[in-house]
């Protein structure tokens, strides 16, 4: 099996969010704003509850500091399963392209 996923018994998003945090080695949250709310804030709450390493990357024009933070997290925690979270494109227009650009730059670094 390529992805050893376990389906949640209910269809509630909050349970899925909790299990994603609980079952991962660390959580990365991408956004374009410092403050997070809704499901993204809940994700951070679960990361603290389960004492999982987490990193909130606020993406903008200069990606160098965020790439350094990501490298530091990975070097010190050596995760094998990473939970990726953040606001939806409908909640934060442009976040998709920011994350895509960040990942492309991070992969080249």
């Amino acid at each position: 099996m390529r992805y050893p996923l376990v389906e949640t018994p209910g269809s509630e998003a909050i349970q899925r969010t909790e299990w994603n945090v609980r079952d991962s080695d660390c959580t990365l949250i991408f956004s374009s704003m410092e403050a997070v709310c809704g499901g993204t804030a809940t994700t951070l709450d679960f990361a603290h509850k389960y004492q999982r390493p987490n990193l909130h990357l606020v993406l903008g024009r200069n990606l160098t500091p965020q790439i350094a933070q990501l490298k530091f997290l990975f070097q010190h925690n050596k995760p094998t399963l990473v939970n990726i979270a953040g606001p939806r494109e409908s909640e934060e227009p442009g976040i998709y392209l920011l994350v895509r650009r960040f990942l492309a730059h991070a992969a080249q670094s």
Side-chain angles (χ1 to χ4, degrees), residues 37-53:
C37 59
T40 305
T42 302
T43 300
L44 275 176
D45 292 342
F46 284 134
H48 294 126
K49 174 184 175 181
Y50 288 102
Q51 299 179 348
R52 295 291 189 269

Side-chain angles (χ1 to χ4, degrees), residues 28 55 57 65-75 102 106:
L28 294 179
L55 180 59
L57 295 169
Q66 291 84 356
I67 291 171
Q69 289 176 306
L70 180 66
K71 285 183 177 183
F72 183 85
L73 176 77
F74 280 18
Q75 287 170 349
F102 174 83

Side-chain angles (χ1 to χ4, degrees), residues 10-78:
S11 61
E12 304 264 337
I14 194 163
Q15 185 175 41
R16 227 176 18 255
T17 298
E18 182 174 10
W19 284 24
N20 284 343
V21 172
R22 181 197 69 188
D23 298 343
S24 64
D25 299 317
C26 71
T27 293
L28 294 179
I29 294 180
F30 292 102
S31 72
S32 61
M33 296 184 278
E34 291 284 336
V36 294
C37 59
T40 305
T42 302
T43 300
L44 275 176
D45 292 342
F46 284 134
H48 294 126
K49 174 184 175 181
Y50 288 102
Q51 299 179 348
R52 295 291 189 269
N54 62 86
L55 180 59
H56 175 202
L57 295 169
V58 180
L59 303 180
R61 289 184 161 264
N62 181 8
L63 300 176
T64 303
Q66 291 84 356
I67 291 171
Q69 289 176 306
L70 180 66
K71 285 183 177 183
F72 183 85
L73 176 77
F74 280 18
Q75 287 170 349
H76 285 64
N77 294 286
K78 305 206 183 329

Side-chain angles (χ1 to χ4, degrees), residues 60 68 98 109:
L98 285 171
S109 297

